[in-house]
Amino acid sequence: MKPIKLLFVLTTIIVFASCRKESLVTPASTVNQASDKKATTESTTTLSESFESGTKAAYAVGSVTLSSGSWSLDEALIGNTSADVKNGAKSVRTRNNGQLTMNFDATGGAETITIQHAVYGNDGSSTWQLWISTDGGSSYTQAGNTVTSSTSTLQAATFTVNVTGSYRLSIRKVSGGSNRINFDDIQVVTGGGTNPGGPGTGGTTGDDSHLLLGNPTGAQASVVLTQNYLRNATYYISSYNSVRGTPNWVSWHIASGDLGSAPRQDDFRADAALPSSWYQVGSSSYSSSGFDRGHNCPSADRTSTVAANSSTFLMSNMIPQAPQNNQQTWNNMEQYIRSLVTAGNEVYVIMGSYGTGGNGSKGNANTIDGGRVTVPSNVWKVVVVIPNGSNDLSRINAATRVIAVNTPNINTIGTDWKSYRTSVDAIESAAGVDLLSALPANIQSALESKVDNL
């Protein structure tokens, strides 16, 4: 194994870190490394609502079906005008004493609730409150303090609560009269501990969990880890780098139960579950850049439910990817991986990017979005393929098929992904990650040194 190396990346807070293998990184791809052990207390999203899928054009009370379920909107509508402040195409617009209330019970509990809010157009300030019910809507209790909306830029209001089991939310405008407020991107998170797995369930330990093979950079869900923040999006887990505005890597499991008939949602949006003090990469951040909003965890890998598919459109799952690279080379590989699943296998996938500078449809660029999103020079993926079964870790041996691919992020790339196959060792050296670390050392060494040729 390689020697330990410590990386220090915070300017005001020093995070001491250790890792099983040496990380060879360039400055552009350096990340905090806090621990090589798999975390067991990451957050789980129990509710996510972006308001992209519903339509309600009038303020009169009525219910609207959204991706998360049915909501009642009173003195509120789904706004899609240029004056509506929003991530994506739509947000809720309220006036007077408007309310938006869940008509259904969400399950899984709630610890942190984040809601994006802003003043509509040129309206004046208003205040609003969050209320929670744990008895099916029979009674509600206010959560936290009253919030003031005073700016026409989306702001994140975060409420810390302690709810177990089922719950309903009600957002209530309480002052400001005819002044209007936009609400968008509601995210409810709870500390999930371990998760037994299963199609689309995520988790960090146990069969089918997204981090079964290890945490490549020792990411943790700590706000101080600005370049190595562990983000559990339920249907995949990632290390997010707020300095680059992209994930360092995303890890997920695919089984036949993950591949269904849910339609592609196309609800690109900022990730409201990230720390509110960080810059929010939005749905339009890549506009006119010459680069695609390239998924790490693909939309087509998560078609079991609308919620599963919608989760892949969080901008924290995107990188600026050259169109040819995204739409041809990587799309061809993604289709091939899904064909392995439908043929009777399950796969563990880890995808990431590193370096600075790519070539899109408008030429070379190091950054986009006014310098706030870094364009990677390379995009990589590692896939571990095993037949359907249980006790997955124990079934991985030196003969297990591992596919490792590393492509330049350029628009003149060839469409045959197989010509970019490499070894896991080579990706680790280039990207500064420690892959397959949960495997026994002898098996890890054998798998990481070979190049797939099937």
Side-chain angles (χ1 to χ4, degrees):
M1 306 301 285
K2 303 172 187 176
I4 291 174
K5 179 179 180 181
L6 296 180
L7 300 178
F8 301 93
V9 298
L10 297 177
T11 57
T12 58
I13 301 174
I14 298 177
V15 179
F16 291 93
S18 63
C19 193
R20 287 175 60 241
K21 303 172 89 176
E22 180 181 22
S23 294
L24 304 177
V25 296
T26 62
S29 62
T30 300
V31 296
N32 293 313
Q33 300 199 9
S35 171
D36 190 60
K37 296 180 180 179
K38 293 181 292 180
T40 57
T41 57
E42 293 84 358
S43 60
T44 297
T45 301
T46 61
L47 178 77
S48 179
E49 182 52 64
S50 64
F51 304 105
E52 296 296 310
S53 62
T55 300
K56 184 176 183 289
Y59 284 108
V61 63
S63 294
V64 57
T65 300
L66 302 167
S67 61
S68 60
S70 173
W71 291 66
S72 175
L73 273 62
D74 185 5
E75 285 289 314
L77 53 77
I78 304 293
N80 60 3
T81 70
S82 59
D84 286 294
V85 188
K86 53 195 178 295
N87 285 319
K90 302 175 183 178
S91 62
V92 169
R93 187 200 314 160
T94 61
R95 67 179 185 185
N96 299 328
N97 291 320
Q99 299 185 16
L100 48 153
T101 304
M102 293 164 55
N103 292 326
F104 64 98
D105 288 330
T107 59
E111 290 184 5
T112 302
I113 302 170
T114 304
I115 303 169
Q116 300 285 334
H117 64 103
V119 168
Y120 170 86
N122 295 317
D123 284 6
S125 299
S126 299
T127 61
W128 59 276
Q129 299 168 345
L130 174 65
W131 292 67
I132 301 180
S133 172
T134 57
D135 56 8
S138 296
S139 62
Y140 283 84
T141 301
Q142 184 179 349
N145 298 319
T146 298
V147 179
T148 300
S149 292
S150 58
T151 177
S152 57
T153 300
L154 282 173
Q155 305 291 319
T158 301
F159 303 83
T160 301
V161 297
N162 185 21
V163 174
T164 59
S166 61
Y167 61 90
R168 298 188 183 195
L169 304 181
S170 180
I171 299 171
R172 304 176 180 182
K173 184 175 180 291
V174 295
S175 78
S178 60
N179 289 333
R180 292 155 291 186
I181 304 176
N182 283 121
F183 294 102
D184 205 357
D185 291 342
I186 299 173
Q187 196 89 8
V188 182
V189 174
T190 187
T194 60
N195 193 308
T201 60
T204 59
T205 61
D207 273 3
D208 304 345
S209 63
H210 303 319
L211 289 186
L212 182 71
L213 301 184
N215 184 327
T217 56
Q220 295 184 25
S222 171
V223 68
V224 302
L225 296 179
T226 57
Q227 298 183 69
N228 193 25
Y229 181 84
L230 190 72
R231 171 70 172 99
N232 187 339
T234 303
Y235 303 97
Y236 53 89
I237 292 176
S238 65
S239 162
Y240 185 73
N241 190 323
S242 68
V243 175
R244 293 173 67 89
T246 63
N248 300 305
W249 52 263
V250 179
S251 185
W252 68 101
H253 171 264
I254 314 175
S256 58
D258 294 306
L259 307 179
S261 58
R264 180 182 170 96
Q265 295 303 295
D266 278 321
D267 53 344
F268 292 94
R269 62 198 186 279
D271 188 347
L274 293 174
S276 59
S277 59
W278 296 356
Y279 173 70
Q280 296 287 307
V281 180
S283 61
S284 61
S285 292
Y286 290 28
S287 296
S288 302
S289 68
F291 292 91
D292 284 359
R293 295 172 293 193
H295 286 69
N296 280 256
C297 179
S299 163
D301 283 6
R302 292 292 180 252
T303 53
S304 59
T305 64
V306 167
N309 188 262
S310 177
S311 74
T312 69
F313 289 91
L314 291 170
M315 291 303 294
S316 58
N317 184 43
M318 306 296 161
I319 57 171
Q321 197 166 2
Q324 177 83 351
N325 184 291
N326 179 42
Q327 299 170 27
Q328 297 293 325
T329 315
W330 280 99
N331 182 53
N332 292 339
M333 184 183 184
E334 292 162 3
Q335 292 186 43
Y336 176 73
I337 293 170
R338 288 189 289 272
S339 75
L340 295 177
V341 174
T342 58
N345 299 290
E346 55 185 301
V347 299
Y348 290 88
V349 187
I350 311 160
M351 178 175 172
S353 57
Y354 67 89
T356 300
N359 178 272
S361 62
K362 295 186 177 181
N364 298 324
N366 290 334
T367 63
I368 62 173
D369 194 21
R372 291 171 292 200
V373 178
T374 299
V375 178
S377 63
N378 287 74
V379 187
W380 58 268
K381 180 174 286 186
V382 171
V383 184
V384 177
V385 186
I386 55 177
N388 290 334
S390 56
N391 300 315
D392 292 351
L393 272 180
S394 66
R395 295 189 297 120
I396 299 174
N397 55 47
T400 296
R401 186 180 184 190
V402 175
I403 308 169
V405 170
N406 188 352
T407 70
N409 188 24
I410 57 177
N411 218 32
T412 55
I413 191 171
T415 60
D416 182 8
W417 63 268
K418 291 183 178 180
S419 64
Y420 297 95
R421 284 181 290 189
T422 184
S423 68
V424 175
D425 277 336
I427 290 175
E428 287 183 321
S429 179
V433 292
D434 183 9
L435 304 171
L436 313 185
S437 61
L439 297 175
N442 62 326
I443 295 176
Q444 183 182 355
S445 179
L447 294 180
E448 292 187 354
S449 63
K450 63 183 181 179
V451 177
D452 180 70
N453 60 5
L454 296 180

